[in-house]
Amino acid sequence: MSAPNGSSLRSGPNGDPAGSTPIRIAVVSAGLSNPSSTRLLADMLGEAVEHAVESRGREVEVEVIELRGLAHALTDHLLTGFPSAELKAAIDTVHRADGVVAVTPVFSASYSGLFKTFFDVLETGLLDAKPVIIAATAGTARHSLVLEHALRPLFAYLHAVVVPTGVFAATDDFAGGPELQKRVDRAAGELAMLVTAGAPAPAPAGTVRRTVEDEFAAPTDFEELLRRASQG
């Protein structure tokens, strides 16, 4: 079956004892070349999550969003505020997903601009409480800390639930050996546990998410703070 943006869609068996709808996983790949190591890692993670969810007795659908083909649409959206049909389909895929796998190449010791732009155009709150695997590729293992100093803070700010295991793959990691697959399987198992555990409790009625801008909208005057301190 074809995904809206032409990527593959994989379905698990119809053996869900609860008869519920399939678990939906969106895999976001920001590789620029074709083929790319970023897409290779994205596919590895997507397949591992599929198997991990199926092993927990649930049906699963994995859809890959390839950002390379959306580069112009993302720029147009930033300038006009309106997504193209293809970009809207990709955004809707992330919105409907129960979990997300986000994979980027490393550019200048951080995530790529294409990767960041996609998450910039998502509406506020779209990733709230959504489980996410963070992953990155680079030519050398010296960039492995990008997961902790760039990707994890980004998704924490977006209020996603980032699984404990991030997956970094240098060029040498694809040459063979079990270590990369071990990390992939561990991260996939953590995501599967979260997406099959049930939806988070809804926020109380009338609850409004506060943004960073809200927190600084009406700061307390410094003189008032000193006055309160002196009275204490």
Side-chain angles (χ1 to χ4, degrees):
M1 185 179 296
S2 296
N5 65 342
S7 299
S8 60
L9 182 68
R10 300 185 293 274
S11 298
N14 296 318
D16 180 8
S20 59
T21 58
I23 298 292
R24 296 186 178 95
I25 304 297
V27 179
V28 180
S29 172
L32 295 182
S33 59
N34 185 23
S36 71
S37 59
T38 301
R39 178 59 190 266
L40 178 58
L41 181 58
D43 287 342
M44 290 176 65
L45 284 162
E47 291 170 5
V49 171
E50 179 184 4
H51 295 152
V53 173
E54 288 176 353
S55 71
R56 300 176 74 88
R58 294 296 302 273
E59 184 180 356
V60 59
E61 295 177 352
V62 179
E63 187 165 346
V64 178
I65 300 169
E66 187 70 75
L67 297 186
R68 180 174 180 268
L70 298 172
H72 290 292
L74 284 166
T75 300
D76 290 342
H77 186 17
L78 287 177
L79 296 174
T80 67
F82 296 98
S84 66
E86 189 177 18
L87 177 56
K88 185 178 186 304
I91 294 172
D92 289 344
T93 295
V94 174
H95 180 71
R96 293 191 305 267
D98 300 291
V100 175
V101 177
V103 192
T104 179
V106 175
F107 278 47
S108 300
S110 187
Y111 36 67
S112 71
L114 180 63
F115 181 86
K116 180 61 161 56
T117 301
F118 179 74
F119 290 100
D120 281 344
V121 303
L122 301 183
E123 65 178 272
T124 300
L126 191 144
L127 290 179
D128 280 4
K130 200 179 292 287
V132 174
I133 292 176
I134 54 172
T137 60
T140 171
R142 289 178 297 178
H143 293 293
S144 60
L145 287 178
V146 70
L147 296 174
E148 305 305 324
H149 73 67
L151 272 79
R152 198 174 294 276
L154 169 64
F155 286 98
Y157 174 79
L158 295 173
H159 291 201
V161 179
V162 184
V163 304
T165 302
V167 181
F168 177 86
T171 301
D172 290 346
D173 289 319
F174 293 103
E179 293 307 315
L180 176 58
Q181 190 63 54
K182 286 180 181 178
R183 296 196 300 272
V184 166
D185 291 341
R186 184 167 63 233
E190 292 167 355
L191 186 70
M193 182 177 63
L194 290 174
V195 298
T196 59
T207 299
V208 178
R209 175 184 172 185
R210 290 181 62 82
T211 65
V212 173
E213 290 75 15
D214 293 332
E215 300 294 340
F216 289 95
T220 304
D221 183 77
F222 187 66
E223 291 184 1
E224 175 64 16
L225 292 174
L226 291 175
R227 186 184 65 80
R228 293 178 185 177
S230 63
Q231 291 178 346

